[in-house]
Every structure is written in structure tokens, then in C-alpha cells.
Amino acid sequence: MANETRPQQQREIAQLARKVGPQLERLHHCAHVLQGDLERMQASSRQWEHYLLQPAFAQDAAQQLGGSFERPFSLAGALYSALEHTDLTGGDARGTLQIPGVLAVPENVISAAAELNRAKESFAGAVSAFRHAVEDRPAPERDRRLRDLFAEVGHPRTHLRQCYRRVLLCPTHPDAIALSWIKARKSIRKVTVSWCDRKLVAMDPQGADPGIQYQRQLLANLPRNRHDDLRQVQVQSRPNLQVAEIFREDVNGQGSSDGSAGESYRQVGYAAMPVLVRSDAAGRLPDFSRVDHEPGAGRRRQRRDLALPREPFLAALRVHLRGGS
């Protein structure tokens, strides 16, 4: 029975693998269609309203894309179609290019972005199904096989996070848009020695990285009475621009008791990329709140029981040793 299952499993894996490449090609096609639409808007003599913020991380992203904030629609198009790692990012799977803001666009651009979002969802589903099918394989092998599938269609440097993130849309012209900065957040969780060692082994399965092997040795030499002091710090490195739509309307067809209209509020999301807003007939955005290009500095209180040293104990995992090393 086991001998029969193995060939069947291999056929299923092969079938799932064949779906990944076409979905990635479709994703690139949809991204280029949207980019072309935005390039035509940029070249048009018609004025389209825009509001892109320029914090330091957005300026860095624009530089990596070879774009300019003076050409906001071209810059946005380049960002939406940036689906691969660049030499400047060093291939870091955790880092993404981010430029927050809002752009007024016509209906055809909204439709192109919606199609791109559907392609993103299909690609993510194909990758997830393939990964699930080979989940019993070692992590390096799983990653290599997936990268091979990307390479077969000419995209070996595919950046999964940038491929997955959706373009935020306001498909109906709202009465107003609310913008606000949400500061970077930090979470601290307890981890075990065995968890840390498994993660380090997965990073360097051949034992060839001296830095990883040094950290494994630190872990092995950690006194048993300190095993409960390991804490992983997860920091959202950049603040988020929160975007919401506001629609003003009468309550039950009548004004409210104070004579003002009612409001309905819909959270659009956090804008790592420009939010595309259906423009009015003149190409304008709805009323929107202005915010500073750089979010305000704030002080975060640190829980006394989780006070951690500045330097990590295991740098590769961002694991600190409570109480110092």
C-alpha cells in the first residue's frame, strides 16, 4: 500500500508544481498592465490628484526603484510591479519596499488593480498548496524546489512578500479619507532552547556558517537555570499609514438630532503601497487628512518583567536573554 501511495504522492506534487509557474507569469502580466495604465496617467495632460508621503524608508524605496516623487503615478507603477529581490536589498526576505499614500485614479485602473489582487491570491494559493505537499521534506530542500519552479519561468529572485501584498482600493469615491500614522509595534515572546536550536539548524543545515555555529555553541553552553530567560523580540520595523473611507449620509433618511449628517466608516487597511482611490469627474481625491511625512516620535513603556539588554544573545533569531548575559 505504501509503495502505491508514494507514486501517487509524487504525481500530486508534480501536478501542484506545474501550477506555480503559470500563476507567477500571470502575476507579472497583471502587474505590468497596471504599471502601463499608471504610466499613461503620468504622461497625460490631464491632472490627477495625488498624495504620497516621503518618510526616510519611502525615499529609500524610491531610490531603489529608480523613481521620483515628482512622478507619483510612475513611481507607484514601479512599486506595484517590483516582485523580485534587488541587489540593493541584499535578498532579505523580510524587507519590503514601501511608499505610503493615496492616488486618484479612474475606473479602468481600479479594475486593473483588482485583477492584480486576484492574481496575487491565486499565486499565493499555488505556492501554499505546493509547500503543504512537500512539508515532510527538509526546509532547505523545500525552498530550493520552490525557487527552481520560479527559475523555470524566468523569475528566480521572486520576493514572496512583495508578491503577496495586495493593492488597497477605494473602488467607490468616498466623501472623505482619514489618514493616521500607527507607530511601529514590538512583541516579546518566550522561546525554548530546543526551538532556538531547530531554527539555527534550519538556517545552516550544512554547518558551514561560523556565525550560526557560534550561536549554537552559546545556546549549548547556556546554564540550565537560564533556559527560561530566552525571549524573542519581534519589531515591526516601520510605522504604518492607516487609511479609512468616510461616507456621510442621513440617518434613516433624516438628519441626526443635532442637524448633522450621519457617517459610515470603513477601514481600508495599512498602506505599505499607495491606496488607489476612485477619483471624481475632475480627477480629484476626496477630502483627506494630512499627516507629517515622518511619524511623530513616541516613547514606549517597557514592562519591568521583560526588560531586555540592548544586544541580542542570538542575533540571527533576535533572541535576547532576560536579565543580561
Side-chain angles (χ1 to χ4, degrees):
M1 184 68 176
N3 290 336
E4 294 177 1
T5 303
R6 185 70 177 174
Q8 180 181 353
Q9 183 183 27
Q10 292 295 339
R11 286 194 296 271
E12 291 175 352
I13 291 174
Q15 186 176 28
L16 291 170
R18 285 193 293 270
K19 295 180 179 179
V20 173
Q23 293 296 347
L24 181 55
E25 289 183 310
R26 179 190 170 210
L27 174 57
H28 276 269
H29 171 74
C30 291
H32 289 145
V33 169
L34 177 58
Q35 183 179 20
D37 287 343
L38 290 166
E39 286 287 358
R40 283 185 283 276
M41 288 183 65
Q42 188 70 65
S44 171
S45 59
R46 182 176 179 181
Q47 296 298 308
W48 299 91
E49 194 173 4
H50 52 85
Y51 181 67
L52 295 186
L53 293 162
Q54 301 181 40
F57 63 80
Q59 294 180 35
D60 179 65
Q63 183 178 14
Q64 292 189 44
L65 292 167
S68 167
F69 286 95
E70 295 180 358
R71 295 175 55 81
F73 294 93
S74 294
L75 179 58
L79 180 60
Y80 297 139
S81 62
L83 304 176
E84 300 185 355
H85 292 288
T86 67
D87 293 332
L88 291 174
T89 58
D92 187 349
R94 294 169 297 180
T96 55
L97 301 175
Q98 299 187 27
I99 301 175
V102 289
L103 298 175
V105 297
E107 182 179 3
N108 70 295
V109 174
I110 294 287
S111 298
E115 184 65 23
L116 173 59
N117 284 340
R118 286 189 287 270
K120 287 173 176 283
E121 184 177 351
S122 296
F123 172 66
V127 170
S128 177
F130 176 77
R131 278 181 160 170
H132 179 72
V134 296
E135 63 183 356
D136 59 330
R137 312 296 172 83
E141 180 184 345
R142 295 198 304 266
D143 291 342
R144 177 184 57 76
R145 291 185 67 175
L146 190 59
R147 290 290 160 186
D148 287 345
L149 295 177
F150 298 159
E152 288 176 5
V153 292
H155 301 291
R157 298 170 66 88
T158 294
H159 192 314
L160 289 177
R161 284 196 176 187
Q162 291 185 179
C163 287
Y164 292 167
R165 59 183 182 177
R166 295 171 61 84
V167 180
L168 298 182
L169 303 174
C170 298
T172 302
H173 186 78
D175 294 302
I177 293 179
L179 305 177
S180 61
W181 282 114
I182 302 296
K183 295 174 184 174
R185 297 181 293 275
K186 175 191 287 186
S187 66
I188 302 174
R189 65 168 183 155
K190 183 178 179 179
V191 293
T192 65
V193 169
S194 60
W195 181 90
C196 292
D197 193 56
R198 286 198 305 272
K199 291 293 185 180
L200 291 171
V201 169
M203 289 180 174
D204 182 32
Q206 304 302 321
D209 187 325
I212 297 296
Q213 295 309 306
Y214 173 70
Q215 291 174 68
R216 289 194 69 200
Q217 190 62 48
L218 285 178
L219 194 62
N221 294 337
L222 185 66
R224 183 167 294 277
N225 64 355
R226 302 299 307 277
H227 284 196
D228 288 338
D229 292 330
L230 293 169
R231 300 290 186 272
Q232 186 186 44
V233 177
Q234 296 176 306
V235 178
Q236 186 179 338
S237 60
R238 295 168 182 152
N240 285 318
L241 181 68
Q242 183 175 239
V243 180
E245 292 176 308
I246 299 174
F247 293 92
R248 301 190 179 100
E249 54 194 13
D250 286 344
V251 179
N252 297 324
Q254 299 177 347
S256 59
S257 58
D258 62 0
S260 63
E263 286 186 349
S264 61
Y265 175 98
R266 186 184 76 87
Q267 177 70 31
V268 178
Y270 297 116
M273 302 188 293
V275 179
L276 300 182
V277 181
R278 178 72 177 271
S279 71
D280 65 9
R284 293 177 303 217
L285 290 165
D287 293 337
F288 61 93
S289 52
R290 264 68 173 177
V291 295
D292 292 336
H293 285 290
E294 293 287 350
R299 299 183 63 183
R300 184 189 298 108
R301 291 188 302 174
Q302 189 174 39
R303 287 168 47 183
R304 292 181 181 178
D305 62 326
L306 291 179
L308 301 174
R310 178 179 294 273
E311 296 299 322
F313 178 62
L314 305 174
L317 302 177
R318 298 186 299 278
V319 168
H320 295 247
L321 193 61
R322 186 178 62 171
S325 56

